[in-house]
Structure formats: C-alpha cells, structure tokens
PDB file of all heavy atoms in Angstrom:
ATOM      1  N   GLN A   1       0.808  -1.209   0.000  1.00 94.00           N
ATOM      2  CA  GLN A   1       0.000   0.000   0.000  1.00 94.00           C
ATOM      3  C   GLN A   1       0.846   1.266   0.000  1.00 94.00           C
ATOM      4  O   GLN A   1       0.466   2.267  -0.627  1.00 94.00           O
ATOM      5  CB  GLN A   1      -0.935   0.014   1.214  1.00 94.00           C
ATOM      6  CG  GLN A   1      -2.041  -1.028   1.159  1.00 94.00           C
ATOM      7  CD  GLN A   1      -2.858  -1.046   2.427  1.00 94.00           C
ATOM      8  OE1 GLN A   1      -2.449  -1.601   3.452  1.00 94.00           O
ATOM      9  NE2 GLN A   1      -4.034  -0.437   2.369  1.00 94.00           N
ATOM     10  N   TYR A   2       1.969   1.270   0.723  1.00 93.00           N
ATOM     11  CA  TYR A   2       2.770   2.494   0.811  1.00 93.00           C
ATOM     12  C   TYR A   2       4.088   2.420   0.055  1.00 93.00           C
ATOM     13  O   TYR A   2       4.837   3.397   0.020  1.00 93.00           O
ATOM     14  CB  TYR A   2       3.044   2.848   2.274  1.00 93.00           C
ATOM     15  CG  TYR A   2       3.767   1.783   3.073  1.00 93.00           C
ATOM     16  CD1 TYR A   2       5.143   1.577   2.942  1.00 93.00           C
ATOM     17  CD2 TYR A   2       3.079   0.987   3.980  1.00 93.00           C
ATOM     18  CE1 TYR A   2       5.796   0.606   3.676  1.00 93.00           C
ATOM     19  CE2 TYR A   2       3.725   0.014   4.724  1.00 93.00           C
ATOM     20  CZ  TYR A   2       5.087  -0.172   4.573  1.00 93.00           C
ATOM     21  OH  TYR A   2       5.723  -1.146   5.299  1.00 93.00           O
ATOM     22  N   GLY A   3       4.392   1.283  -0.570  1.00 91.00           N
ATOM     23  CA  GLY A   3       5.638   1.153  -1.311  1.00 91.00           C
ATOM     24  C   GLY A   3       5.661   2.003  -2.568  1.00 91.00           C
ATOM     25  O   GLY A   3       4.605   2.397  -3.095  1.00 91.00           O
ATOM     26  N   PRO A   4       6.840   2.314  -3.110  1.00 86.00           N
ATOM     27  CA  PRO A   4       6.941   3.219  -4.261  1.00 86.00           C
ATOM     28  C   PRO A   4       6.611   2.576  -5.604  1.00 86.00           C
ATOM     29  O   PRO A   4       6.521   3.275  -6.605  1.00 86.00           O
ATOM     30  CB  PRO A   4       8.417   3.633  -4.216  1.00 86.00           C
ATOM     31  CG  PRO A   4       9.118   2.451  -3.606  1.00 86.00           C
ATOM     32  CD  PRO A   4       8.147   1.874  -2.605  1.00 86.00           C
ATOM     33  N   GLN A   5       6.435   1.256  -5.636  1.00 89.00           N
ATOM     34  CA  GLN A   5       6.206   0.581  -6.911  1.00 89.00           C
ATOM     35  C   GLN A   5       4.920   1.086  -7.576  1.00 89.00           C
ATOM     36  O   GLN A   5       3.849   1.050  -6.987  1.00 89.00           O
ATOM     37  CB  GLN A   5       6.105  -0.944  -6.712  1.00 89.00           C
ATOM     38  CG  GLN A   5       7.370  -1.594  -6.189  1.00 89.00           C
ATOM     39  CD  GLN A   5       7.540  -1.468  -4.691  1.00 89.00           C
ATOM     40  OE1 GLN A   5       6.640  -0.971  -4.004  1.00 89.00           O
ATOM     41  NE2 GLN A   5       8.678  -1.894  -4.193  1.00 89.00           N
ATOM     42  N   GLY A   6       5.089   1.564  -8.806  1.00 91.00           N
ATOM     43  CA  GLY A   6       3.943   2.010  -9.590  1.00 91.00           C
ATOM     44  C   GLY A   6       3.396   3.372  -9.204  1.00 91.00           C
ATOM     45  O   GLY A   6       2.338   3.770  -9.708  1.00 91.00           O
ATOM     46  N   ALA A   7       4.081   4.107  -8.344  1.00 94.00           N
ATOM     47  CA  ALA A   7       3.585   5.411  -7.900  1.00 94.00           C
ATOM     48  C   ALA A   7       3.867   6.487  -8.945  1.00 94.00           C
ATOM     49  O   ALA A   7       4.838   6.412  -9.702  1.00 94.00           O
ATOM     50  CB  ALA A   7       4.226   5.789  -6.572  1.00 94.00           C
ATOM     51  N   ASP A   8       3.014   7.502  -8.967  1.00 95.00           N
ATOM     52  CA  ASP A   8       3.152   8.643  -9.878  1.00 95.00           C
ATOM     53  C   ASP A   8       3.664   9.833  -9.058  1.00 95.00           C
ATOM     54  O   ASP A   8       2.905  10.481  -8.330  1.00 95.00           O
ATOM     55  CB  ASP A   8       1.801   8.957 -10.517  1.00 95.00           C
ATOM     56  CG  ASP A   8       1.894  10.028 -11.596  1.00 95.00           C
ATOM     57  OD1 ASP A   8       2.869  10.815 -11.575  1.00 95.00           O
ATOM     58  OD2 ASP A   8       0.996  10.087 -12.449  1.00 95.00           O
ATOM     59  N   ILE A   9       4.958  10.136  -9.181  1.00 94.00           N
ATOM     60  CA  ILE A   9       5.575  11.187  -8.369  1.00 94.00           C
ATOM     61  C   ILE A   9       5.001  12.555  -8.708  1.00 94.00           C
ATOM     62  O   ILE A   9       4.742  13.376  -7.809  1.00 94.00           O
ATOM     63  CB  ILE A   9       7.106  11.173  -8.553  1.00 94.00           C
ATOM     64  CG1 ILE A   9       7.682   9.862  -8.022  1.00 94.00           C
ATOM     65  CG2 ILE A   9       7.753  12.355  -7.849  1.00 94.00           C
ATOM     66  CD1 ILE A   9       9.180   9.715  -8.244  1.00 94.00           C
ATOM     67  N   ALA A  10       4.782  12.822  -9.988  1.00 95.00           N
ATOM     68  CA  ALA A  10       4.232  14.127 -10.396  1.00 95.00           C
ATOM     69  C   ALA A  10       2.836  14.323  -9.819  1.00 95.00           C
ATOM     70  O   ALA A  10       2.506  15.405  -9.302  1.00 95.00           O
ATOM     71  CB  ALA A  10       4.205  14.225 -11.915  1.00 95.00           C
ATOM     72  N   LYS A  11       2.021  13.300  -9.878  1.00 96.00           N
ATOM     73  CA  LYS A  11       0.681  13.372  -9.308  1.00 96.00           C
ATOM     74  C   LYS A  11       0.759  13.550  -7.796  1.00 96.00           C
ATOM     75  O   LYS A  11      -0.008  14.316  -7.192  1.00 96.00           O
ATOM     76  CB  LYS A  11      -0.095  12.097  -9.648  1.00 96.00           C
ATOM     77  CG  LYS A  11      -1.520  12.048  -9.097  1.00 96.00           C
ATOM     78  CD  LYS A  11      -2.412  13.077  -9.741  1.00 96.00           C
ATOM     79  CE  LYS A  11      -3.849  12.922  -9.292  1.00 96.00           C
ATOM     80  NZ  LYS A  11      -4.733  13.952  -9.861  1.00 96.00           N
ATOM     81  N   GLY A  12       1.715  12.861  -7.172  1.00 95.00           N
ATOM     82  CA  GLY A  12       1.897  13.005  -5.734  1.00 95.00           C
ATOM     83  C   GLY A  12       2.271  14.420  -5.339  1.00 95.00           C
ATOM     84  O   GLY A  12       1.799  14.935  -4.322  1.00 95.00           O
ATOM     85  N   GLY A  13       3.122  15.063  -6.146  1.00 94.00           N
ATOM     86  CA  GLY A  13       3.483  16.446  -5.864  1.00 94.00           C
ATOM     87  C   GLY A  13       2.288  17.378  -5.955  1.00 94.00           C
ATOM     88  O   GLY A  13       2.111  18.273  -5.123  1.00 94.00           O
ATOM     89  N   GLU A  14       1.456  17.151  -6.950  1.00 96.00           N
ATOM     90  CA  GLU A  14       0.254  17.973  -7.106  1.00 96.00           C
ATOM     91  C   GLU A  14      -0.687  17.794  -5.914  1.00 96.00           C
ATOM     92  O   GLU A  14      -1.217  18.775  -5.367  1.00 96.00           O
ATOM     93  CB  GLU A  14      -0.453  17.576  -8.398  1.00 96.00           C
ATOM     94  CG  GLU A  14      -1.741  18.333  -8.663  1.00 96.00           C
ATOM     95  CD  GLU A  14      -2.441  17.846  -9.911  1.00 96.00           C
ATOM     96  OE1 GLU A  14      -1.775  17.199 -10.753  1.00 96.00           O
ATOM     97  OE2 GLU A  14      -3.652  18.098 -10.046  1.00 96.00           O
ATOM     98  N   LEU A  15      -0.879  16.551  -5.493  1.00 96.00           N
ATOM     99  CA  LEU A  15      -1.761  16.274  -4.357  1.00 96.00           C
ATOM    100  C   LEU A  15      -1.191  16.847  -3.069  1.00 96.00           C
ATOM    101  O   LEU A  15      -1.924  17.384  -2.229  1.00 96.00           O
ATOM    102  CB  LEU A  15      -1.961  14.758  -4.212  1.00 96.00           C
ATOM    103  CG  LEU A  15      -2.783  14.082  -5.308  1.00 96.00           C
ATOM    104  CD1 LEU A  15      -2.647  12.570  -5.215  1.00 96.00           C
ATOM    105  CD2 LEU A  15      -4.247  14.496  -5.203  1.00 96.00           C
ATOM    106  N   PHE A  16       0.126  16.752  -2.896  1.00 96.00           N
ATOM    107  CA  PHE A  16       0.757  17.254  -1.674  1.00 96.00           C
ATOM    108  C   PHE A  16       0.646  18.774  -1.591  1.00 96.00           C
ATOM    109  O   PHE A  16       0.328  19.317  -0.533  1.00 96.00           O
ATOM    110  CB  PHE A  16       2.223  16.829  -1.623  1.00 96.00           C
ATOM    111  CG  PHE A  16       2.917  17.203  -0.345  1.00 96.00           C
ATOM    112  CD1 PHE A  16       2.839  16.387   0.766  1.00 96.00           C
ATOM    113  CD2 PHE A  16       3.637  18.382  -0.250  1.00 96.00           C
ATOM    114  CE1 PHE A  16       3.467  16.740   1.960  1.00 96.00           C
ATOM    115  CE2 PHE A  16       4.272  18.740   0.926  1.00 96.00           C
ATOM    116  CZ  PHE A  16       4.180  17.916   2.037  1.00 96.00           C
ATOM    117  N   ARG A  17       0.896  19.452  -2.691  1.00 93.00           N
ATOM    118  CA  ARG A  17       0.805  20.918  -2.677  1.00 93.00           C
ATOM    119  C   ARG A  17      -0.625  21.382  -2.438  1.00 93.00           C
ATOM    120  O   ARG A  17      -0.842  22.433  -1.836  1.00 93.00           O
ATOM    121  CB  ARG A  17       1.349  21.474  -3.996  1.00 93.00           C
ATOM    122  CG  ARG A  17       2.851  21.375  -4.143  1.00 93.00           C
ATOM    123  CD  ARG A  17       3.350  22.096  -5.383  1.00 93.00           C
ATOM    124  NE  ARG A  17       2.910  21.443  -6.603  1.00 93.00           N
ATOM    125  CZ  ARG A  17       3.572  20.454  -7.209  1.00 93.00           C
ATOM    126  NH1 ARG A  17       4.704  19.994  -6.677  1.00 93.00           N
ATOM    127  NH2 ARG A  17       3.121  19.920  -8.326  1.00 93.00           N
ATOM    128  N   THR A  18      -1.590  20.598  -2.874  1.00 94.00           N
ATOM    129  CA  THR A  18      -2.994  20.969  -2.693  1.00 94.00           C
ATOM    130  C   THR A  18      -3.472  20.718  -1.271  1.00 94.00           C
ATOM    131  O   THR A  18      -4.196  21.543  -0.700  1.00 94.00           O
ATOM    132  CB  THR A  18      -3.882  20.181  -3.673  1.00 94.00           C
ATOM    133  OG1 THR A  18      -3.458  20.454  -5.012  1.00 94.00           O
ATOM    134  CG2 THR A  18      -5.349  20.565  -3.516  1.00 94.00           C
ATOM    135  N   ASN A  19      -3.054  19.601  -0.671  1.00 95.00           N
ATOM    136  CA  ASN A  19      -3.631  19.165   0.601  1.00 95.00           C
ATOM    137  C   ASN A  19      -2.717  19.308   1.810  1.00 95.00           C
ATOM    138  O   ASN A  19      -3.211  19.331   2.940  1.00 95.00           O
ATOM    139  CB  ASN A  19      -4.050  17.685   0.499  1.00 95.00           C
ATOM    140  CG  ASN A  19      -5.111  17.444  -0.530  1.00 95.00           C
ATOM    141  OD1 ASN A  19      -6.285  17.699  -0.308  1.00 95.00           O
ATOM    142  ND2 ASN A  19      -4.711  16.931  -1.697  1.00 95.00           N
ATOM    143  N   CYS A  20      -1.406  19.421   1.602  1.00 94.00           N
ATOM    144  CA  CYS A  20      -0.476  19.302   2.730  1.00 94.00           C
ATOM    145  C   CYS A  20       0.498  20.470   2.870  1.00 94.00           C
ATOM    146  O   CYS A  20       0.986  20.736   3.975  1.00 94.00           O
ATOM    147  CB  CYS A  20       0.334  18.008   2.608  1.00 94.00           C
ATOM    148  SG  CYS A  20      -0.622  16.562   2.124  1.00 94.00           S
ATOM    149  N   ALA A  21       0.822  21.132   1.754  1.00 91.00           N
ATOM    150  CA  ALA A  21       1.894  22.129   1.774  1.00 91.00           C
ATOM    151  C   ALA A  21       1.576  23.337   2.632  1.00 91.00           C
ATOM    152  O   ALA A  21       2.489  24.029   3.093  1.00 91.00           O
ATOM    153  CB  ALA A  21       2.210  22.586   0.345  1.00 91.00           C
ATOM    154  N   GLN A  22       0.283  23.618   2.882  1.00 91.00           N
ATOM    155  CA  GLN A  22      -0.077  24.774   3.704  1.00 91.00           C
ATOM    156  C   GLN A  22       0.554  24.679   5.087  1.00 91.00           C
ATOM    157  O   GLN A  22       0.847  25.703   5.705  1.00 91.00           O
ATOM    158  CB  GLN A  22      -1.593  24.876   3.853  1.00 91.00           C
ATOM    159  CG  GLN A  22      -2.343  25.047   2.543  1.00 91.00           C
ATOM    160  CD  GLN A  22      -2.797  23.727   1.985  1.00 91.00           C
ATOM    161  OE1 GLN A  22      -2.093  22.737   2.073  1.00 91.00           O
ATOM    162  NE2 GLN A  22      -3.989  23.708   1.405  1.00 91.00           N
ATOM    163  N   CYS A  23       0.738  23.482   5.585  1.00 91.00           N
ATOM    164  CA  CYS A  23       1.312  23.287   6.922  1.00 91.00           C
ATOM    165  C   CYS A  23       2.734  22.736   6.863  1.00 91.00           C
ATOM    166  O   CYS A  23       3.607  23.166   7.616  1.00 91.00           O
ATOM    167  CB  CYS A  23       0.441  22.341   7.739  1.00 91.00           C
ATOM    168  SG  CYS A  23      -1.235  22.934   8.056  1.00 91.00           S
ATOM    169  N   HIS A  24       2.973  21.763   5.991  1.00 91.00           N
ATOM    170  CA  HIS A  24       4.252  21.054   5.986  1.00 91.00           C
ATOM    171  C   HIS A  24       5.289  21.656   5.054  1.00 91.00           C
ATOM    172  O   HIS A  24       6.396  21.118   4.975  1.00 91.00           O
ATOM    173  CB  HIS A  24       4.026  19.585   5.594  1.00 91.00           C
ATOM    174  CG  HIS A  24       3.349  18.775   6.656  1.00 91.00           C
ATOM    175  ND1 HIS A  24       4.000  18.325   7.795  1.00 91.00           N
ATOM    176  CD2 HIS A  24       2.075  18.334   6.757  1.00 91.00           C
ATOM    177  CE1 HIS A  24       3.155  17.628   8.541  1.00 91.00           C
ATOM    178  NE2 HIS A  24       1.981  17.624   7.945  1.00 91.00           N
ATOM    179  N   ASN A  25       4.954  22.740   4.336  1.00 85.00           N
ATOM    180  CA  ASN A  25       5.843  23.319   3.338  1.00 85.00           C
ATOM    181  C   ASN A  25       5.846  22.429   2.096  1.00 85.00           C
ATOM    182  O   ASN A  25       5.597  21.233   2.183  1.00 85.00           O
ATOM    183  CB  ASN A  25       7.262  23.484   3.907  1.00 85.00           C
ATOM    184  CG  ASN A  25       8.262  23.977   2.878  1.00 85.00           C
ATOM    185  OD1 ASN A  25       8.881  23.184   2.192  1.00 85.00           O
ATOM    186  ND2 ASN A  25       8.417  25.282   2.788  1.00 85.00           N
ATOM    187  N   PHE A  26       6.104  22.988   0.940  1.00 82.00           N
ATOM    188  CA  PHE A  26       5.939  22.233  -0.305  1.00 82.00           C
ATOM    189  C   PHE A  26       6.948  21.108  -0.463  1.00 82.00           C
ATOM    190  O   PHE A  26       6.781  20.235  -1.321  1.00 82.00           O
ATOM    191  CB  PHE A  26       5.992  23.182  -1.510  1.00 82.00           C
ATOM    192  CG  PHE A  26       7.378  23.626  -1.897  1.00 82.00           C
ATOM    193  CD1 PHE A  26       8.043  23.044  -2.952  1.00 82.00           C
ATOM    194  CD2 PHE A  26       8.005  24.651  -1.197  1.00 82.00           C
ATOM    195  CE1 PHE A  26       9.308  23.460  -3.307  1.00 82.00           C
ATOM    196  CE2 PHE A  26       9.272  25.073  -1.553  1.00 82.00           C
ATOM    197  CZ  PHE A  26       9.931  24.476  -2.609  1.00 82.00           C
ATOM    198  N   THR A  27       8.011  21.105   0.348  1.00 82.00           N
ATOM    199  CA  THR A  27       8.954  19.988   0.315  1.00 82.00           C
ATOM    200  C   THR A  27       8.886  19.137   1.574  1.00 82.00           C
ATOM    201  O   THR A  27       9.727  18.270   1.775  1.00 82.00           O
ATOM    202  CB  THR A  27      10.396  20.485   0.129  1.00 82.00           C
ATOM    203  OG1 THR A  27      10.717  21.393   1.198  1.00 82.00           O
ATOM    204  CG2 THR A  27      10.568  21.185  -1.197  1.00 82.00           C
ATOM    205  N   GLY A  28       7.895  19.390   2.427  1.00 88.00           N
ATOM    206  CA  GLY A  28       7.730  18.570   3.615  1.00 88.00           C
ATOM    207  C   GLY A  28       8.690  18.889   4.740  1.00 88.00           C
ATOM    208  O   GLY A  28       8.920  18.058   5.629  1.00 88.00           O
ATOM    209  N   LYS A  29       9.252  20.104   4.743  1.00 85.00           N
ATOM    210  CA  LYS A  29      10.202  20.465   5.793  1.00 85.00           C
ATOM    211  C   LYS A  29       9.507  20.897   7.085  1.00 85.00           C
ATOM    212  O   LYS A  29      10.162  21.106   8.097  1.00 85.00           O
ATOM    213  CB  LYS A  29      11.102  21.615   5.307  1.00 85.00           C
ATOM    214  CG  LYS A  29      12.040  21.241   4.181  1.00 85.00           C
ATOM    215  CD  LYS A  29      13.054  20.194   4.615  1.00 85.00           C
ATOM    216  CE  LYS A  29      14.177  20.028   3.605  1.00 85.00           C
ATOM    217  NZ  LYS A  29      13.706  19.502   2.302  1.00 85.00           N
ATOM    218  N   GLY A  30       8.193  21.052   7.067  1.00 87.00           N
ATOM    219  CA  GLY A  30       7.474  21.445   8.277  1.00 87.00           C
ATOM    220  C   GLY A  30       7.281  22.940   8.357  1.00 87.00           C
ATOM    221  O   GLY A  30       7.819  23.708   7.556  1.00 87.00           O
ATOM    222  N   GLY A  31       6.514  23.377   9.347  1.00 85.00           N
ATOM    223  CA  GLY A  31       6.260  24.789   9.527  1.00 85.00           C
ATOM    224  C   GLY A  31       5.512  25.056  10.813  1.00 85.00           C
ATOM    225  O   GLY A  31       5.012  24.137  11.462  1.00 85.00           O
ATOM    226  N   ALA A  32       5.451  26.319  11.203  1.00 84.00           N
ATOM    227  CA  ALA A  32       4.811  26.716  12.455  1.00 84.00           C
ATOM    228  C   ALA A  32       3.310  26.851  12.264  1.00 84.00           C
ATOM    229  O   ALA A  32       2.828  27.246  11.199  1.00 84.00           O
ATOM    230  CB  ALA A  32       5.396  28.025  12.948  1.00 84.00           C
ATOM    231  N   LEU A  33       2.574  26.520  13.338  1.00 88.00           N
ATOM    232  CA  LEU A  33       1.130  26.710  13.383  1.00 88.00           C
ATOM    233  C   LEU A  33       0.809  27.664  14.526  1.00 88.00           C
ATOM    234  O   LEU A  33       1.703  28.297  15.083  1.00 88.00           O
ATOM    235  CB  LEU A  33       0.429  25.359  13.571  1.00 88.00           C
ATOM    236  CG  LEU A  33       0.711  24.298  12.503  1.00 88.00           C
ATOM    237  CD1 LEU A  33       0.048  22.981  12.869  1.00 88.00           C
ATOM    238  CD2 LEU A  33       0.228  24.767  11.140  1.00 88.00           C
ATOM    239  N   THR A  34      -0.437  27.780  14.906  1.00 87.00           N
ATOM    240  CA  THR A  34      -0.838  28.708  15.964  1.00 87.00           C
ATOM    241  C   THR A  34      -0.658  28.096  17.346  1.00 87.00           C
ATOM    242  O   THR A  34      -0.604  26.876  17.511  1.00 87.00           O
ATOM    243  CB  THR A  34      -2.310  29.104  15.781  1.00 87.00           C
ATOM    244  OG1 THR A  34      -3.114  27.912  15.811  1.00 87.00           O
ATOM    245  CG2 THR A  34      -2.512  29.811  14.459  1.00 87.00           C
ATOM    246  N   HIS A  35      -0.567  28.969  18.358  1.00 87.00           N
ATOM    247  CA  HIS A  35      -0.528  28.575  19.774  1.00 87.00           C
ATOM    248  C   HIS A  35       0.614  27.596  20.086  1.00 87.00           C
ATOM    249  O   HIS A  35       0.445  26.668  20.873  1.00 87.00           O
ATOM    250  CB  HIS A  35      -1.861  27.955  20.192  1.00 87.00           C
ATOM    251  CG  HIS A  35      -3.045  28.843  19.944  1.00 87.00           C
ATOM    252  ND1 HIS A  35      -3.250  30.040  20.600  1.00 87.00           N
ATOM    253  CD2 HIS A  35      -4.082  28.708  19.068  1.00 87.00           C
ATOM    254  CE1 HIS A  35      -4.372  30.598  20.165  1.00 87.00           C
ATOM    255  NE2 HIS A  35      -4.892  29.822  19.239  1.00 87.00           N
ATOM    256  N   GLY A  36       1.756  27.818  19.477  1.00 86.00           N
ATOM    257  CA  GLY A  36       2.924  27.001  19.772  1.00 86.00           C
ATOM    258  C   GLY A  36       2.935  25.644  19.108  1.00 86.00           C
ATOM    259  O   GLY A  36       3.867  24.865  19.318  1.00 86.00           O
ATOM    260  N   LYS A  37       1.955  25.343  18.291  1.00 89.00           N
ATOM    261  CA  LYS A  37       1.913  24.057  17.594  1.00 89.00           C
ATOM    262  C   LYS A  37       2.695  24.158  16.285  1.00 89.00           C
ATOM    263  O   LYS A  37       3.053  25.246  15.839  1.00 89.00           O
ATOM    264  CB  LYS A  37       0.462  23.648  17.322  1.00 89.00           C
ATOM    265  CG  LYS A  37      -0.356  23.491  18.587  1.00 89.00           C
ATOM    266  CD  LYS A  37      -1.808  23.202  18.273  1.00 89.00           C
ATOM    267  CE  LYS A  37      -2.638  23.107  19.555  1.00 89.00           C
ATOM    268  NZ  LYS A  37      -4.073  22.852  19.262  1.00 89.00           N
ATOM    269  N   TYR A  38       2.949  23.026  15.675  1.00 91.00           N
ATOM    270  CA  TYR A  38       3.746  23.017  14.454  1.00 91.00           C
ATOM    271  C   TYR A  38       3.448  21.764  13.639  1.00 91.00           C
ATOM    272  O   TYR A  38       2.968  20.756  14.168  1.00 91.00           O
ATOM    273  CB  TYR A  38       5.249  23.060  14.780  1.00 91.00           C
ATOM    274  CG  TYR A  38       5.709  21.895  15.633  1.00 91.00           C
ATOM    275  CD1 TYR A  38       6.198  20.723  15.054  1.00 91.00           C
ATOM    276  CD2 TYR A  38       5.639  21.956  17.024  1.00 91.00           C
ATOM    277  CE1 TYR A  38       6.607  19.657  15.837  1.00 91.00           C
ATOM    278  CE2 TYR A  38       6.048  20.896  17.811  1.00 91.00           C
ATOM    279  CZ  TYR A  38       6.534  19.745  17.206  1.00 91.00           C
ATOM    280  OH  TYR A  38       6.926  18.688  17.987  1.00 91.00           O
ATOM    281  N   ALA A  39       3.698  21.878  12.353  1.00 92.00           N
ATOM    282  CA  ALA A  39       3.636  20.720  11.467  1.00 92.00           C
ATOM    283  C   ALA A  39       5.044  20.156  11.374  1.00 92.00           C
ATOM    284  O   ALA A  39       5.954  20.852  10.915  1.00 92.00           O
ATOM    285  CB  ALA A  39       3.131  21.132  10.086  1.00 92.00           C
ATOM    286  N   PRO A  40       5.272  18.928  11.811  1.00 92.00           N
ATOM    287  CA  PRO A  40       6.638  18.400  11.865  1.00 92.00           C
ATOM    288  C   PRO A  40       7.209  18.148  10.472  1.00 92.00           C
ATOM    289  O   PRO A  40       6.476  18.008   9.490  1.00 92.00           O
ATOM    290  CB  PRO A  40       6.464  17.088  12.627  1.00 92.00           C
ATOM    291  CG  PRO A  40       5.057  16.682  12.368  1.00 92.00           C
ATOM    292  CD  PRO A  40       4.280  17.959  12.296  1.00 92.00           C
ATOM    293  N   THR A  41       8.518  18.106  10.401  1.00 91.00           N
ATOM    294  CA  THR A  41       9.176  17.764   9.146  1.00 91.00           C
ATOM    295  C   THR A  41       8.847  16.326   8.768  1.00 91.00           C
ATOM    296  O   THR A  41       8.680  15.457   9.630  1.00 91.00           O
ATOM    297  CB  THR A  41      10.692  17.946   9.261  1.00 91.00           C
ATOM    298  OG1 THR A  41      11.304  17.536   8.015  1.00 91.00           O
ATOM    299  CG2 THR A  41      11.279  17.120  10.384  1.00 91.00           C
ATOM    300  N   LEU A  42       8.745  16.074   7.490  1.00 92.00           N
ATOM    301  CA  LEU A  42       8.468  14.732   6.987  1.00 92.00           C
ATOM    302  C   LEU A  42       9.726  14.077   6.439  1.00 92.00           C
ATOM    303  O   LEU A  42       9.660  12.956   5.930  1.00 92.00           O
ATOM    304  CB  LEU A  42       7.402  14.798   5.889  1.00 92.00           C
ATOM    305  CG  LEU A  42       6.058  15.406   6.324  1.00 92.00           C
ATOM    306  CD1 LEU A  42       5.095  15.459   5.151  1.00 92.00           C
ATOM    307  CD2 LEU A  42       5.462  14.630   7.483  1.00 92.00           C
ATOM    308  N   GLU A  43      10.840  14.761   6.560  1.00 89.00           N
ATOM    309  CA  GLU A  43      12.099  14.191   6.084  1.00 89.00           C
ATOM    310  C   GLU A  43      12.549  13.086   7.035  1.00 89.00           C
ATOM    311  O   GLU A  43      12.633  13.280   8.249  1.00 89.00           O
ATOM    312  CB  GLU A  43      13.174  15.278   6.005  1.00 89.00           C
ATOM    313  CG  GLU A  43      14.452  14.817   5.338  1.00 89.00           C
ATOM    314  CD  GLU A  43      15.416  15.968   5.105  1.00 89.00           C
ATOM    315  OE1 GLU A  43      15.114  17.083   5.557  1.00 89.00           O
ATOM    316  OE2 GLU A  43      16.461  15.745   4.472  1.00 89.00           O
TER     317      GLU A  43
END
C-alpha cells in the first residue's frame, strides 16, 4: 500500500501541494502553526 512501486511522483506532488503544503511546506520540511503548535518535518 505504501511502497513506491507504480507510484506517480508528479501526481503526488500535485496532491501534496494541494492538501499538505499549507502546513508542511511544499517539500515537507514542516512549519509553524498557531498557539505554539507546528507541522513536523516529513524528512
């Protein structure tokens, strides 16, 4: 289910920027949220 075989990296980038980049940054490095919370790095 999570292995890279057969995955579409370009499609994944589009989905990540649409659904995740607001908090995790477009490369998954993480970012600050409100009230001392944060989105952790995904590296």
